[in-house]
Amino acid sequence: MARDHQFQNIPNTPYWWQSRETVRPEDAASVDGSYDVAVIGSGYTGLSAAYRLASGGLSVLVIDAEDLGFGASTRNGGMVSGTLKLSHKELCAAYDRDTANALFQEAQDSVLFLERSIAEKGIACDYQRMGMYFAAYAPKHYDALAHEAEELAALGVETQMVPQGAQRGELASDIYYGGRTTVMAGGLHPAKYHAGLVAACRAAGVEFRSRCRVQRTARQGGGYVLSTDRGSVRADQVIVATNAYTDPGMPWFRRRVIPIGSYIIATEQMDPMDLRALIPAARMIQDTKRNLFYYRLSPDGTRMIFGGRTSFRPISSDESAARLHAAMSTVFPSLGKARVEHSWTGNVAFTFQKLPHVGQHEGIHFALGCCGQGVALMSYFGDCIGGRILGRGAETAFARTRFTTMPGYAGHPWFLPVVGEFYRLLDWLERPKS
């Protein structure tokens, strides 16, 4: 299928990049001088921290090894949710109940933070809170969703089960066994949101250096010296906000994040009425497979955006386009002849605990490991770090999560293909056979 001419030479840049922040000449200047804070990474985390700090009167420099927002911040599906990879029950098993409750509530509240941030900064990023639908890939998955719904209701979370017979009100597909809706979720245009954060930071006085790799960070006196391929800079405080794109030059952080590739396609423009009929409530959709698919309508309603972890080995954009198109056609047979106009990939940062972590290592601040739930959470964590440096605001509960690694792991996830095939087998075994 990957050799089908239909899937050859498809643009491998994200659909979202049509609205991407452009590079400015001053971003290419040499790196020198002193700043109160240097931020490594120009994604949602770094920008949120930089904005909070600059608004608080500090001098801030944001440095990125690539163009601004090159990583997941402009490559993701634009899905906003307050969920974590671990359920509340799993959080209670891993931590004391107070910590579990705090982690759960902060994740929920991160959506409210995002909404306030967008409104306060006046960011036009097509944000809407329309909710999310979790589609049960197997009957036992529906039962698990229903059991969790009872737990969520007890925690005050608005959610509703949708039996298979009523599913077409949410999703015009017959491959799932019902599902569950949640209200605290929505969608946005990730590159427009990123561009809005960059503009807000520039207005607050933040300086940027793009295509500038930090090779080494060393303590000097009461601060740090960052050596880059365009010079050196001194900073009193340093924030690492590189997530799945953490360089080997930061080995302690790199050993604690697992970069996992996620693949996405965008179809050609289609009749909005036909597409809306496929997802009547226009919700964000995520299925319950371990090797999950996630999909949504584009903000203007003219394209299907369809993503998933189709491979745990690197594959070409042509091959991933063919695989995702086949999956999309299984979910929605009417899209079988739809052309793919964009096919791209990006890395998502997981941790061995399946939870993000915020904290300090040898005095350097960091927030890493969004685990595929980063749009709201990482924006919130950046603001938390900024508040901590300014001495304002309470400590996030995610500073209490364990942030360990695996013996022998140095940042290259050699084990992912094996794990991926095992997950694929489990998904196959749980799915009823016709």
Side-chain angles (χ1 to χ4, degrees):
M1 181 179 292
R3 293 189 295 272
D4 191 321
H5 67 86
Q6 177 186 357
F7 303 106
Q8 293 179 0
N9 303 315
I10 297 170
N12 62 3
T13 54
Y15 162 68
W16 313 116
W17 281 14
Q18 299 170 91
S19 302
R20 193 179 175 197
E21 160 75 4
T22 56
V23 176
R24 295 191 179 185
E26 60 265 33
D27 298 347
S30 62
V31 177
D32 57 23
S34 297
Y35 296 83
D36 293 319
V37 185
V39 180
I40 306 173
S42 66
Y44 301 149
T45 314
L47 295 179
S48 293
Y51 178 81
R52 177 77 183 269
L53 292 164
S55 298
L58 301 188
S59 58
V60 183
L61 175 68
V62 174
I63 306 175
D64 201 292
E66 302 287 350
D67 289 339
L68 302 183
F70 174 83
S73 289
T74 60
R75 295 174 181 270
N76 67 81
M79 302 169 109
V80 176
S81 76
T83 58
L84 297 168
K85 283 301 176 186
L86 297 184
S87 67
H88 185 263
K89 182 178 180 180
E90 290 170 323
L91 290 172
C92 288
Y95 301 95
D96 63 84
R97 180 165 288 274
D98 286 345
T99 298
N101 289 344
L103 293 170
F104 180 87
Q105 193 59 54
E106 278 194 48
Q108 291 283 301
D109 290 346
S110 70
V111 176
L112 300 177
F113 167 82
L114 178 76
E115 292 175 346
R116 289 194 304 271
S117 179
I118 289 171
E120 290 168 0
K121 297 176 180 67
I123 300 175
C125 59
D126 304 314
Y127 175 74
Q128 283 187 289
R129 192 204 288 189
M130 72 288 285
M132 182 172 286
Y133 182 66
F134 296 90
Y137 184 69
K140 67 181 296 184
H141 295 185
Y142 181 87
D143 295 339
L145 288 172
H147 180 71
E148 190 177 12
E150 296 176 1
E151 298 176 353
L152 293 175
L155 293 165
V157 177
E158 188 176 347
T159 186
Q160 183 176 351
M161 292 304 299
V162 180
Q164 188 175 17
Q167 180 169 251
R168 281 191 164 257
E170 294 290 342
L171 191 63
S173 178
D174 297 319
I175 74 164
Y176 298 113
Y177 293 84
R180 189 183 76 215
T181 63
T182 184
V183 172
M184 192 62 76
L188 50 67
H189 189 301
K192 288 183 179 179
Y193 172 53
H194 181 269
L197 287 176
V198 170
C201 284
R202 291 194 194 278
V206 175
E207 293 185 35
F208 291 90
R209 296 293 184 272
S210 59
R211 303 182 189 180
C212 179
R213 190 173 301 277
V214 176
Q215 299 164 335
R216 189 167 64 94
T217 302
R219 281 186 178 273
Q220 186 179 90
Y224 301 84
V225 173
L226 280 66
S227 300
T228 81
D229 48 17
R230 291 221 304 271
S232 297
V233 64
R234 189 187 185 285
D236 295 334
Q237 303 269 9
V238 175
I239 300 172
V240 171
T242 48
N243 227 20
Y245 294 82
T246 303
D247 282 341
M250 295 179 279
W252 189 89
F253 301 103
R254 185 177 168 86
R255 290 189 63 230
R256 283 160 174 76
V257 293
I258 308 166
I260 298 179
S262 194
Y263 300 84
I264 309 181
I265 57 173
T267 66
E268 63 186 320
Q269 286 189 304
M270 304 175 70
D271 186 328
M273 296 288 286
D274 292 341
L275 286 175
R276 185 61 180 265
L278 299 178
I279 308 178
R283 297 193 201 276
M284 305 291 103
I285 310 294
Q286 178 179 311
D287 70 23
T288 58
K289 295 196 306 299
R290 292 167 182 83
N291 291 336
L292 59 83
F293 291 125
Y294 54 92
Y295 41 100
R296 57 167 295 184
L297 304 182
S298 61
D300 64 4
T302 65
R303 302 171 191 265
M304 181 67 72
I305 310 294
F306 196 98
R309 298 187 184 104
T310 61
S311 175
F312 284 82
R313 297 179 176 88
I315 58 175
S316 70
S317 60
D318 291 349
E319 185 174 356
S320 64
R323 293 186 183 187
L324 287 172
H325 186 275
M328 179 181 70
S329 302
T330 300
V331 177
F332 300 118
S334 63
L335 297 183
K337 294 184 179 180
R339 286 191 305 108
V340 175
E341 288 197 349
H342 292 269
S343 175
W344 71 97
T345 186
N347 290 334
V348 176
F350 273 72
T351 68
F352 289 97
Q353 299 75 37
K354 297 183 181 179
L355 283 175
H357 189 87
V358 182
Q360 289 180 273
H361 172 65
E362 296 182 347
I364 295 177
H365 304 267
F366 65 88
L368 297 167
C370 62
C371 300
Q373 311 291 331
V375 179
L377 272 172
M378 300 312 281
S379 300
Y380 166 69
F381 291 150
D383 186 78
C384 288
I385 293 174
R388 178 187 177 92
I389 292 173
L390 291 169
R392 304 167 192 167
E395 180 71 86
T396 170
F398 285 86
R400 296 180 237 162
T401 59
R402 292 180 287 275
F403 197 34
T404 58
T405 185
M406 182 177 74
Y409 178 68
H412 176 65
W414 52 267
F415 46 82
L416 281 183
V418 176
V419 173
E421 289 306 314
F422 177 62
Y423 282 173
R424 200 181 311 279
L425 174 62
L426 292 179
D427 287 336
W428 181 82
L429 290 173
E430 291 176 348
R431 176 82 173 178
K433 309 300 182 288
S434 58

